[in-house]
Amino acid sequence: MIDNSDSEVTIARVRMFRRLLAWNVLQRLAMGQRECKANNTLPLLKTAKGTRDYDPAAMALRQRALKQVCSVFERHGAVTIDTPVFERQELLRGMYGDDAKLIYDLQNQGGELLALRYDLTVPFARYLAMSNIGHIKRYQVGKVYRRDNPQIGRGRYREFLQCDFDIAGTYDPMLPDAECLKVLVEILDTLAVGDFNVMVNHRKLLDGIFGASGVPVNKFRTIGSSVDKLDKLPWDVVRDEMIKQKGLDEVTVDLIRSYVTLTGGVELIDQLEEDTRLKRFKNAIVGLQDMRLLLKYCELLGVKDRITFNLSLARGLDYYTGIIFEAVLLTTDESSVGSLAGGGRYDDLVGTFNRKGQQIPCVGVSIGFERIFSLLESKASRSSDQQKVRIAKTQVFVASAHKGLLLKRLEILNMLWGAGIKAEHSYKRDPKLLAQLRYCEGQHIPYALILGDAELARGVLKLRSVVDRQEEELKLDSFVNEVQDRLSKECD
């Protein structure tokens, strides 16, 4: 038999403990505030390392660019999803190779070990496995987090935005892969980032090259991470890393070099297909066949001239299984931003989260939006047209020509809002007309709707074009429709 009195005492003690704990926390906070006041100090006002604030002008530029990116995704039939900004730690471990050390771990919260998401790909694979989805073409725009060394001028942050496009499902070879490359080229062309090139390689071909060179199978991924550094480091540095840190002999390393320094197109595929060493490795043959088909499809889609078959491309993420690619700028003055986008095929990732091991083939591309935005922001600051960027989306400003029209102004403003027209007015009861018109010019608001006693007595309002300063009268009982007509013509 349970003694209810003992149970009630225990509950009372727990409640008392919680009250004391809360009181202690509040006392510590109050003490900290008193110390700040006593020392006449304030908290250090700065953003966390590797992050930044975006002012209205920057946000206007970002939103315009993001709208262009999403329009390309939607043009290709993609639907959008969203996933949590943090995941279970165990879900992210073992997915990112040497870069796993960059994952932001969170403290134990409610019995779960969590981490901020490193990319949007692994959460997407988890979503597919949980939802039992076999086919989807999706895009997602979201922030990801990496405990990296930030380089703000190069668009390299610890908190940054990625724009992903992925095709999941079983389809004929290289058709989804080619469309991902098409999407990537369309986005970079639309955003006018400058002259760029998309390097393409194949993980199976790379494995075949390592096998033909004498690399042990258990070192394929770590050697791939070394090879992937060739776009940033000279060969001698990468060679030393493979020999001194990763234990390869010099003969093997020199054989690797004979392959990974090659670039080209279909002619390179022809050359590799005749290589006697590679012919002994099935993965290499499959990779070359895929590459030939991919380049054929890219030619039909009009993007072949943007693509280079580059055997040094490895991409360090462990989950890639087939085609891999990366977009870089070719112009020397902007090349410091590094890679603009990357992606590839990851056919085995979803199966790692499925209890039955059911695989769902996937391929996708990830756009590094912050690096692209750093280019767009730099160009906007140098452009003579930078003042033409509209920060606010206001279409009509309701202005009064003289005193005593505040109530009528609010009535007109409410009618515009009710019709879905973006409108605003001055928060002064009796603002001066010149100040209101200057505000419209400064904010690039296209129209001003001017109220005056004489016009209102005749049942009309004045619609002023802010750019050319032309005015016309609109009837008070139909002005909303007439304003809508003019705005729709501008959109056309």
Side-chain angles (χ1 to χ4, degrees):
M1 181 175 178
I2 298 174
D3 190 340
N4 291 332
S5 62
D6 289 344
S7 177
E8 291 174 358
V9 169
T10 301
I11 293 173
R13 286 176 177 173
V14 169
R15 287 176 177 170
M16 179 63 71
F17 175 76
R18 286 177 176 173
R19 291 193 190 101
L20 289 172
L21 182 62
W23 181 83
N24 188 39
V25 170
L26 291 173
Q27 288 297 310
R28 287 177 179 272
L29 289 173
M31 185 180 299
Q33 292 174 349
R34 286 195 296 270
E35 287 178 357
C36 284
K37 290 180 179 178
N39 297 329
N40 197 26
T41 60
L42 292 172
L44 181 61
L45 293 180
K46 59 178 293 188
T47 58
K49 187 177 180 180
T51 64
R52 63 166 286 190
D53 295 321
Y54 296 93
D55 61 27
M59 285 305 301
L61 187 61
R62 285 173 71 83
Q63 289 174 343
R64 184 171 65 181
L66 285 169
K67 184 178 180 180
Q68 292 173 313
V69 171
C70 292
S71 69
V72 174
F73 292 155
E74 292 169 355
R75 185 188 309 153
H76 287 261
V79 295
T80 189
I81 69 166
D82 196 17
T83 56
V85 75
F86 49 80
E87 297 277 354
R88 294 173 60 86
Q89 281 184 21
E90 61 181 337
L91 185 107
L92 303 183
R93 293 301 174 192
M95 298 296 177
Y96 304 108
D98 292 345
D99 288 342
K101 61 183 180 293
L102 303 181
I103 295 174
Y104 268 109
D105 290 330
L106 302 177
Q107 290 184 347
N108 190 330
Q109 298 292 328
E112 288 187 311
L113 292 176
L114 306 175
L116 294 177
R117 62 187 178 195
Y118 180 92
D119 63 8
L120 301 178
T121 304
V122 172
F124 173 57
R126 188 264 308 152
Y127 166 81
L128 292 178
M130 282 183 60
S131 306
N132 197 28
I133 294 174
H135 296 81
I136 190 173
K137 185 188 293 185
R138 86 83 156 93
Y139 76 90
Q140 184 176 356
V141 176
K143 288 185 175 181
V144 298
Y145 300 84
R146 297 182 188 177
R147 199 172 56 197
D148 206 350
N149 291 322
Q151 294 172 294
I152 305 301
R154 300 175 60 184
R156 188 166 185 163
Y157 299 88
R158 289 181 169 178
E159 176 192 65
F160 55 97
L161 202 65
Q162 282 192 338
C163 309
D164 280 24
F165 174 92
D166 294 81
I167 301 174
T170 302
Y171 302 102
D172 286 341
M174 295 299 104
L175 286 172
D177 311 63
E179 184 166 6
C180 285
L181 289 170
K182 175 67 173 178
V183 166
L184 171 56
V185 171
E186 283 185 3
I187 286 173
L188 297 182
D189 279 338
T190 299
L191 296 177
V193 298
D195 197 13
F196 64 90
N197 178 254
V198 182
M199 300 182 294
V200 180
N201 200 2
H202 200 294
R203 265 291 174 84
K204 290 183 178 179
L205 174 59
L206 205 56
D207 288 349
I209 288 172
F210 292 155
S213 301
V215 178
V217 175
N218 64 349
K219 290 189 176 182
F220 279 7
R221 288 295 167 261
T222 184
I223 297 304
S225 296
S226 296
V227 169
D228 200 45
K229 298 175 183 177
L230 286 173
D231 63 332
K232 306 177 186 70
L233 301 174
W235 168 255
D236 289 343
V237 176
V238 174
R239 184 178 188 273
D240 285 347
E241 179 180 301
M242 288 192 284
I243 294 173
K244 296 177 181 179
Q245 297 181 27
K246 300 187 176 179
L248 293 188
D249 59 73
E250 294 184 3
V251 174
T252 298
V253 173
D254 290 340
L255 275 175
I256 293 173
R257 182 185 185 183
S258 68
Y259 290 107
V260 299
T261 53
L262 299 175
T263 61
V266 176
E267 74 286 348
L268 180 55
I269 296 176
D270 295 336
Q271 174 186 335
L272 294 172
E273 284 179 338
E274 297 302 318
D275 188 289
T276 54
R277 290 193 188 91
L278 288 180
K279 283 182 178 181
R280 295 185 287 113
F281 291 87
K282 183 179 178 180
N283 275 343
I285 296 171
V286 172
L288 289 169
Q289 290 172 344
D290 283 349
M291 284 298 307
R292 187 180 293 278
L293 191 56
L294 179 70
L295 292 181
K296 179 181 179 180
Y297 290 155
C298 286
E299 183 175 13
L300 292 172
L301 293 176
V303 297
K304 184 181 177 183
D305 291 343
R306 296 286 200 177
I307 292 171
T308 301
F309 182 17
N310 189 324
L311 291 179
S312 70
L313 180 67
R315 294 193 63 78
L317 303 182
D318 281 357
Y319 51 65
Y320 287 124
T321 59
I323 290 294
I324 50 177
F325 48 86
E326 190 169 293
V328 295
L329 281 177
L330 295 179
T331 49
T332 55
D333 58 329
E334 306 288 7
S335 60
S336 60
V337 298
S339 172
L340 298 176
R345 177 160 287 278
Y346 50 101
D347 288 346
D348 300 337
L349 184 57
V350 177
T352 63
F353 303 134
N354 190 298
R355 294 188 181 277
K356 297 180 180 180
Q358 181 181 357
Q359 300 293 357
I360 299 176
C362 299
V363 62
V365 56
S366 181
I367 311 293
F369 185 77
E370 304 304 345
R371 296 186 178 186
I372 291 176
F373 180 70
S374 70
L375 297 174
L376 300 179
E377 195 172 31
S378 177
K379 288 181 179 179
S381 67
R382 299 193 303 264
S383 173
S384 59
D385 294 335
Q386 60 177 308
Q387 297 300 324
K388 295 182 180 179
V389 177
R390 288 185 62 190
I391 296 176
K393 304 298 181 182
T394 307
Q395 297 167 305
V396 178
F397 187 91
V398 181
S400 49
H402 44 73
K403 296 180 179 181
L405 292 173
L406 172 61
L407 298 182
K408 190 64 178 179
R409 207 165 71 218
L410 290 173
E411 180 185 335
I412 297 297
L413 190 67
N414 195 50
M415 293 172 69
L416 293 172
W417 286 338
I421 297 171
K422 302 178 182 68
E424 61 175 311
H425 75 132
S426 171
Y427 292 122
K428 290 186 176 182
R429 178 181 294 273
D430 297 311
K432 294 182 179 179
L433 181 59
L434 182 59
Q436 295 172 84
L437 296 179
R438 283 178 175 171
Y439 176 81
C440 293
E441 291 176 353
Q443 296 297 313
H444 308 291
I445 299 173
Y447 291 105
L449 200 57
I450 303 175
L451 286 62
D453 282 337
E455 288 79 11
L456 290 172
R458 292 190 292 110
V460 297
L461 302 169
K462 282 186 180 180
L463 183 67
R464 178 186 176 95
S465 173
V466 175
V467 175
D468 58 23
R469 302 184 180 182
Q470 297 295 312
E471 295 182 352
E472 60 179 310
E473 291 186 348
L474 305 181
K475 293 182 179 180
L476 193 56
D477 57 2
S478 62
F479 78 93
V480 173
N481 291 334
E482 294 187 53
V483 170
Q484 285 179 321
D485 288 342
R486 282 158 179 76
L487 292 174
S488 64
K489 288 177 183 178
E490 283 191 0
C491 293
D492 294 339

